[in-house]
Amino acid sequence: MTSIQSLIAQMTLEEKAALCTGASAWTTTPVERLDVPELFVSDGPHGLRRVPEVHSMSNKSLPATCFPTASALAASWDVDLLYEMGQALAEEAIALGVDVILGPGANMKRSPLCGRNFEYFSEDPYLAGAMAVGLIEGIQSQGVGTSLKHFAANNQEYERCSINAEVDERALREIYLPAFEMAVTKAKPWTVMCSYNKVNGTYASENRRLLTDILKKEWGFEGFVVSDWGAVHNRVAGLQAGLDLEMPGPKQARVNAVIEAVRNGDLDEAVVDEAVRRILTIVCRAAQTPKGKAFDVAAHHALARKIAAESMVLLKNNGLLPLQAPQHIAVVGRAAREAHFQGGGSSHINPTQVDVPFNELQKLAGNAEISFAEGYPRDDSRDQALIDEAVTIALAADVALLYIALPTFKESEGYDRPDLDLTAQQVALIQAVTAVQPNTVVILNNGAPVVMGEWLDGAAAVLEAWMMGQAGGGAIADVLFGRVNPSGKLAETYPLRLMDTPAYLNFPGENGVVRYGEGLYIGYRYYDTRQVPVLFPFGYGLSYTSFAYGNMRVSADSFRDVDGLTVSVDVTNTGPVAGQEIVQVYVRDRESRLARPYKELKGFAKVSLQPGETKTVSVSLDSRAFAYYDPAYPQWITEDGQFDILVGASSADIRCCATVTLQSTLQLPSTLHDESTIRAWLNDPAGKPILEPIFNELMKKGGLFSSDDSDDNSMDMDLVGFLLDLPLRNFFHFQEGSLTQPPDDITNMLLEQVHGAR
Ligand code: BGC
């Protein structure tokens, strides 16, 4: 094949500019003269939305398997399973002639109110990154590309195309970027999609720092950056910032703008060439995967069922589950008949088939008599007759199964959630049914947390079934009857109240700006550090068996950051049935110069165990697991000191702990300057030996702060405490009377010493 460089050399400026803008809603511009084909992209992320008419954004798409959405997937904590799903997605892409799947989404769940959280993995960047890696690697292993989205700080739907996300540097680096960073550096997605919003004042589509400095240079991203659909404002500024492809097209005016900017010298043609090089590389790579081979519809449906079952989280169980051959089951809730298995918006899939939860239940229920009541209407209205009917059948049954789906008007792409509540009718329904039937199971279909305070106590069991994909109806039945032992654990905290959530005071922003005032403290980082009680903690989920943890080991009590650490623990299935446990490893920095969350997830493993079986689980922690981002340097840094390694069954259920000592191998330049405080100087490894003797000497002399009686202190304050917070220069000015040289000369001399010392 002709090399990319020689292709570029043969292209006219017009052809290059055209390649940087789509030809349709889903295709790039081909260069027929040079045999450069178009690239076909489709949503994403949990199934193919392959629209047959390329100039339509919203036509009914071709049938494809709808897998569970990202919030469900993350609750599986199963990277291999996501890889397997990725392979299946790629097979469907190949069948439908798609080169690149628009997903996964790696945005953080800053607030549970974000309408699109169902398409995102987690409130934790490590878990979200690991999930994204699994999915991307699975898809790309088959020669199909991905588009990691929405880069970056797109954490709400409110004003999503214009809102300015004001995020401080540490929060950006430690919370909002790491999932993208992990996915880019480990899984190498073919493309990255920039978000609609502004980040710290600049549209993501024109954000050179994000697209070029961080993504391409720092992380070594080799693919192309595509705009979210309609995210481009100034095409030339976008190209200069590192936005390679604008979608959707056609947009001749944009192409002309690029040509004109090159001709009049405003845009260096080399910038266009670089975008063209990146796009052509992917176009040529995609062309190597033959398209058209049909996929196995039944096998993918079965896989969707397996994934859905693995993702479900058993939130409460008083022992009613798994069901023990009930004779009469009352099924309540329209979601039992109309499966609520996906969310609204660009990820909406035309499924190949849909498991109806009621029918699937019936298949596994043996000879049980099953009655049905709708329970709640499709809209937000109240209907007491529906509740009365449900109560009647629940009373007559041994067990009531309530299928409660959060309606689309309360959760979708395009708008945020108004609250964390079910509809008033649903709450009243659950209350009424649980009041008459103690054996009630609530099965939830939603993409993000709901509050449960008004009804949780009455329910015997609660199963979070998520937006469970097209085969979820069968998966629910599998879990209810114990054909599958639930093993999902929450990838996001369930709060008690909306007002407890970290971003509550800063969501969704005003006057076009949303300030990420909670900084690093989102999700469990906030609840843990503030000790705010929650409904269900991050990492929580029940099983039909139980697990014991023991014999925790660390590879070294004291280790160098570059060597990392391996943590091992023995996990035993102490219950009656086979099951899977998700072992979570959190790291807590006991002392650090900059504030850190109480603990952070840095590793996990999922292990299958037969009853009585024990396995050793090992998790490796690299240097990054202990590091934080210090904007003063600016880079990730490790500090000498002690860290607690906490191994748990959830963020709130720590089973074993070890304390280790890290030796940092970082040689950091001193950041001391003349306004650094005395405290900063004395804490700095280079500053301390230089300043300390002088400081001690001056303290002995007393200077301006001397008193007649050294035991007496007329200002009634700790003078040393006061002095520690003085900038160096001010300190010497106060001490001028005790100095033999002018204070500024001494300050400058110390600065020379400290910076020359390195
Ligand atoms: C969404 C993207 C999606 C694109 C194409 C946008 O509105 O934000 O996630 O991939 O449309 O449908």
Side-chain angles (χ1 to χ4, degrees), residues 561-587:
D561 49 7
V562 285
D563 297 332
L565 191 75
T566 302
V567 183
S568 307
V569 67
D570 293 347
V571 184
T572 305
N573 182 345
T574 51
V577 288
Q580 299 187 79
E581 173 67 330
I582 297 161
V583 178
Q584 301 156 42
V585 179
Y586 297 87
V587 172

mmCIF file of all heavy atoms in Angstrom, residues 561-587:
data_model
loop_
_atom_site.group_PDB
_atom_site.id
_atom_site.type_symbol
_atom_site.label_atom_id
_atom_site.label_comp_id
_atom_site.label_asym_id
_atom_site.label_seq_id
_atom_site.Cartn_x
_atom_site.Cartn_y
_atom_site.Cartn_z
ATOM 1 N N ASP A 561 9.330 3.455 45.062
ATOM 2 C CA ASP A 561 8.168 3.707 44.198
ATOM 3 C C ASP A 561 8.303 2.998 42.849
ATOM 4 O O ASP A 561 7.354 2.373 42.364
ATOM 5 C CB ASP A 561 7.923 5.215 44.012
ATOM 6 C CG ASP A 561 9.167 5.999 43.622
ATOM 7 O OD1 ASP A 561 10.214 5.369 43.361
ATOM 8 O OD2 ASP A 561 9.086 7.241 43.564
ATOM 9 N N VAL A 562 9.501 3.044 42.274
ATOM 10 C CA VAL A 562 9.674 2.450 40.946
ATOM 11 C C VAL A 562 9.514 0.927 40.953
ATOM 12 O O VAL A 562 9.232 0.315 39.920
ATOM 13 C CB VAL A 562 11.059 2.794 40.336
ATOM 14 C CG1 VAL A 562 11.102 4.222 39.848
ATOM 15 C CG2 VAL A 562 12.183 2.517 41.338
ATOM 16 N N ASP A 563 9.705 0.318 42.107
ATOM 17 C CA ASP A 563 9.575 -1.137 42.184
ATOM 18 C C ASP A 563 8.125 -1.567 42.376
ATOM 19 O O ASP A 563 7.767 -2.704 42.082
ATOM 20 C CB ASP A 563 10.421 -1.695 43.331
ATOM 21 C CG ASP A 563 11.902 -1.435 43.098
ATOM 22 O OD1 ASP A 563 12.292 -1.340 41.909
ATOM 23 O OD2 ASP A 563 12.646 -1.297 44.079
ATOM 24 N N GLY A 564 7.292 -0.682 42.903
ATOM 25 C CA GLY A 564 5.905 -1.034 43.147
ATOM 26 C C GLY A 564 5.774 -2.081 44.238
ATOM 27 O O GLY A 564 6.757 -2.435 44.907
ATOM 28 N N LEU A 565 4.565 -2.569 44.379
ATOM 29 C CA LEU A 565 4.267 -3.457 45.499
ATOM 30 C C LEU A 565 3.225 -4.471 45.038
ATOM 31 O O LEU A 565 2.337 -4.141 44.262
ATOM 32 C CB LEU A 565 3.666 -2.601 46.619
ATOM 33 C CG LEU A 565 3.490 -3.219 47.986
ATOM 34 C CD1 LEU A 565 4.859 -3.318 48.683
ATOM 35 C CD2 LEU A 565 2.565 -2.351 48.835
ATOM 36 N N THR A 566 3.345 -5.707 45.521
ATOM 37 C CA THR A 566 2.294 -6.683 45.236
ATOM 38 C C THR A 566 1.578 -7.027 46.539
ATOM 39 O O THR A 566 2.217 -7.286 47.563
ATOM 40 C CB THR A 566 2.886 -7.946 44.594
ATOM 41 O OG1 THR A 566 3.557 -7.551 43.399
ATOM 42 C CG2 THR A 566 1.794 -8.937 44.221
ATOM 43 N N VAL A 567 0.275 -6.999 46.471
ATOM 44 C CA VAL A 567 -0.554 -7.283 47.645
ATOM 45 C C VAL A 567 -1.256 -8.612 47.398
ATOM 46 O O VAL A 567 -1.840 -8.804 46.326
ATOM 47 C CB VAL A 567 -1.626 -6.177 47.809
ATOM 48 C CG1 VAL A 567 -2.442 -6.418 49.063
ATOM 49 C CG2 VAL A 567 -0.983 -4.800 47.813
ATOM 50 N N SER A 568 -1.190 -9.514 48.352
ATOM 51 C CA SER A 568 -1.872 -10.802 48.192
ATOM 52 C C SER A 568 -2.766 -11.056 49.388
ATOM 53 O O SER A 568 -2.461 -10.649 50.515
ATOM 54 C CB SER A 568 -0.866 -11.951 48.096
ATOM 55 O OG SER A 568 0.079 -11.683 47.095
ATOM 56 N N VAL A 569 -3.858 -11.745 49.119
ATOM 57 C CA VAL A 569 -4.767 -12.094 50.206
ATOM 58 C C VAL A 569 -5.449 -13.412 49.834
ATOM 59 O O VAL A 569 -5.659 -13.694 48.650
ATOM 60 C CB VAL A 569 -5.785 -10.950 50.428
ATOM 61 C CG1 VAL A 569 -6.720 -10.793 49.254
ATOM 62 C CG2 VAL A 569 -6.572 -11.108 51.712
ATOM 63 N N ASP A 570 -5.729 -14.212 50.830
ATOM 64 C CA ASP A 570 -6.441 -15.475 50.581
ATOM 65 C C ASP A 570 -7.936 -15.233 50.774
ATOM 66 O O ASP A 570 -8.358 -14.707 51.807
ATOM 67 C CB ASP A 570 -5.965 -16.563 51.546
ATOM 68 C CG ASP A 570 -4.511 -16.946 51.277
ATOM 69 O OD1 ASP A 570 -3.987 -16.547 50.213
ATOM 70 O OD2 ASP A 570 -3.917 -17.636 52.125
ATOM 71 N N VAL A 571 -8.705 -15.638 49.785
ATOM 72 C CA VAL A 571 -10.157 -15.468 49.882
ATOM 73 C C VAL A 571 -10.799 -16.850 49.855
ATOM 74 O O VAL A 571 -10.477 -17.675 48.997
ATOM 75 C CB VAL A 571 -10.698 -14.611 48.717
ATOM 76 C CG1 VAL A 571 -12.191 -14.366 48.870
ATOM 77 C CG2 VAL A 571 -9.959 -13.281 48.643
ATOM 78 N N THR A 572 -11.680 -17.089 50.808
ATOM 79 C CA THR A 572 -12.339 -18.397 50.922
ATOM 80 C C THR A 572 -13.846 -18.234 50.774
ATOM 81 O O THR A 572 -14.434 -17.330 51.376
ATOM 82 C CB THR A 572 -12.043 -19.028 52.303
ATOM 83 O OG1 THR A 572 -10.631 -19.074 52.475
ATOM 84 C CG2 THR A 572 -12.623 -20.437 52.418
ATOM 85 N N ASN A 573 -14.438 -19.116 49.998
ATOM 86 C CA ASN A 573 -15.896 -19.154 49.905
ATOM 87 C C ASN A 573 -16.405 -19.948 51.111
ATOM 88 O O ASN A 573 -16.248 -21.169 51.187
ATOM 89 C CB ASN A 573 -16.315 -19.826 48.590
ATOM 90 C CG ASN A 573 -17.816 -19.857 48.412
ATOM 91 O OD1 ASN A 573 -18.567 -19.645 49.363
ATOM 92 N ND2 ASN A 573 -18.261 -20.138 47.190
ATOM 93 N N THR A 574 -16.994 -19.243 52.049
ATOM 94 C CA THR A 574 -17.419 -19.884 53.299
ATOM 95 C C THR A 574 -18.906 -20.245 53.294
ATOM 96 O O THR A 574 -19.444 -20.667 54.314
ATOM 97 C CB THR A 574 -17.139 -18.939 54.489
ATOM 98 O OG1 THR A 574 -17.693 -17.656 54.176
ATOM 99 C CG2 THR A 574 -15.656 -18.804 54.747
ATOM 100 N N GLY A 575 -19.550 -20.052 52.162
ATOM 101 C CA GLY A 575 -20.988 -20.311 52.110
ATOM 102 C C GLY A 575 -21.326 -21.570 51.345
ATOM 103 O O GLY A 575 -20.448 -22.363 50.993
ATOM 104 N N PRO A 576 -22.611 -21.730 51.046
ATOM 105 C CA PRO A 576 -23.098 -22.998 50.504
ATOM 106 C C PRO A 576 -23.026 -23.127 48.983
ATOM 107 O O PRO A 576 -23.198 -24.237 48.468
ATOM 108 C CB PRO A 576 -24.567 -23.003 50.953
ATOM 109 C CG PRO A 576 -24.940 -21.543 51.024
ATOM 110 C CD PRO A 576 -23.704 -20.801 51.376
ATOM 111 N N VAL A 577 -22.834 -22.039 48.264
ATOM 112 C CA VAL A 577 -22.876 -22.147 46.792
ATOM 113 C C VAL A 577 -21.653 -21.481 46.172
ATOM 114 O O VAL A 577 -20.987 -20.662 46.801
ATOM 115 C CB VAL A 577 -24.148 -21.474 46.206
ATOM 116 C CG1 VAL A 577 -25.382 -22.289 46.501
ATOM 117 C CG2 VAL A 577 -24.290 -20.042 46.697
ATOM 118 N N ALA A 578 -21.386 -21.847 44.926
ATOM 119 C CA ALA A 578 -20.269 -21.229 44.199
ATOM 120 C C ALA A 578 -20.572 -19.744 44.004
ATOM 121 O O ALA A 578 -21.738 -19.349 43.909
ATOM 122 C CB ALA A 578 -20.097 -21.910 42.845
ATOM 123 N N GLY A 579 -19.529 -18.959 43.962
ATOM 124 C CA GLY A 579 -19.757 -17.523 43.783
ATOM 125 C C GLY A 579 -18.497 -16.815 43.337
ATOM 126 O O GLY A 579 -17.433 -17.424 43.221
ATOM 127 N N GLN A 580 -18.664 -15.532 43.076
ATOM 128 C CA GLN A 580 -17.517 -14.721 42.671
ATOM 129 C C GLN A 580 -17.408 -13.533 43.617
ATOM 130 O O GLN A 580 -18.411 -12.909 43.944
ATOM 131 C CB GLN A 580 -17.712 -14.184 41.264
ATOM 132 C CG GLN A 580 -17.852 -15.268 40.209
ATOM 133 C CD GLN A 580 -17.861 -14.638 38.832
ATOM 134 O OE1 GLN A 580 -16.829 -14.283 38.303
ATOM 135 N NE2 GLN A 580 -19.039 -14.484 38.255
ATOM 136 N N GLU A 581 -16.174 -13.238 44.008
ATOM 137 C CA GLU A 581 -15.954 -12.106 44.902
ATOM 138 C C GLU A 581 -15.063 -11.074 44.208
ATOM 139 O O GLU A 581 -14.127 -11.428 43.487
ATOM 140 C CB GLU A 581 -15.298 -12.590 46.207
ATOM 141 C CG GLU A 581 -14.852 -11.498 47.159
ATOM 142 C CD GLU A 581 -16.006 -10.673 47.778
ATOM 143 O OE1 GLU A 581 -17.056 -10.523 47.135
ATOM 144 O OE2 GLU A 581 -15.828 -10.188 48.902
ATOM 145 N N ILE A 582 -15.395 -9.817 44.440
ATOM 146 C CA ILE A 582 -14.572 -8.726 43.900
ATOM 147 C C ILE A 582 -13.753 -8.153 45.052
ATOM 148 O O ILE A 582 -14.301 -7.567 45.987
ATOM 149 C CB ILE A 582 -15.457 -7.643 43.257
ATOM 150 C CG1 ILE A 582 -16.210 -8.233 42.059
ATOM 151 C CG2 ILE A 582 -14.608 -6.457 42.816
ATOM 152 C CD1 ILE A 582 -17.412 -7.430 41.624
ATOM 153 N N VAL A 583 -12.460 -8.394 44.972
ATOM 154 C CA VAL A 583 -11.539 -7.960 46.022
ATOM 155 C C VAL A 583 -10.998 -6.584 45.636
ATOM 156 O O VAL A 583 -10.488 -6.405 44.532
ATOM 157 C CB VAL A 583 -10.379 -8.971 46.154
ATOM 158 C CG1 VAL A 583 -9.383 -8.528 47.197
ATOM 159 C CG2 VAL A 583 -10.925 -10.371 46.459
ATOM 160 N N GLN A 584 -11.134 -5.649 46.524
ATOM 161 C CA GLN A 584 -10.765 -4.261 46.205
ATOM 162 C C GLN A 584 -9.567 -3.810 47.035
ATOM 163 O O GLN A 584 -9.521 -4.059 48.238
ATOM 164 C CB GLN A 584 -11.977 -3.354 46.467
ATOM 165 C CG GLN A 584 -13.177 -3.758 45.635
ATOM 166 C CD GLN A 584 -14.504 -3.324 46.219
ATOM 167 O OE1 GLN A 584 -14.653 -2.211 46.719
ATOM 168 N NE2 GLN A 584 -15.494 -4.217 46.159
ATOM 169 N N VAL A 585 -8.626 -3.162 46.396
ATOM 170 C CA VAL A 585 -7.434 -2.691 47.102
ATOM 171 C C VAL A 585 -7.415 -1.157 47.071
ATOM 172 O O VAL A 585 -7.384 -0.543 46.012
ATOM 173 C CB VAL A 585 -6.142 -3.244 46.465
ATOM 174 C CG1 VAL A 585 -4.915 -2.713 47.195
ATOM 175 C CG2 VAL A 585 -6.157 -4.770 46.480
ATOM 176 N N TYR A 586 -7.472 -0.601 48.257
ATOM 177 C CA TYR A 586 -7.443 0.853 48.408
ATOM 178 C C TYR A 586 -6.113 1.262 49.037
ATOM 179 O O TYR A 586 -5.540 0.513 49.831
ATOM 180 C CB TYR A 586 -8.573 1.332 49.322
ATOM 181 C CG TYR A 586 -9.956 1.039 48.771
ATOM 182 C CD1 TYR A 586 -10.584 -0.188 49.013
ATOM 183 C CD2 TYR A 586 -10.630 1.986 48.012
ATOM 184 C CE1 TYR A 586 -11.849 -0.460 48.508
ATOM 185 C CE2 TYR A 586 -11.897 1.723 47.502
ATOM 186 C CZ TYR A 586 -12.502 0.500 47.757
ATOM 187 O OH TYR A 586 -13.751 0.237 47.261
ATOM 188 N N VAL A 587 -5.643 2.449 48.666
ATOM 189 C CA VAL A 587 -4.401 2.960 49.232
ATOM 190 C C VAL A 587 -4.707 4.251 49.980
ATOM 191 O O VAL A 587 -5.456 5.101 49.494
ATOM 192 C CB VAL A 587 -3.360 3.226 48.124
ATOM 193 C CG1 VAL A 587 -2.131 3.933 48.696
ATOM 194 C CG2 VAL A 587 -2.945 1.908 47.468
#
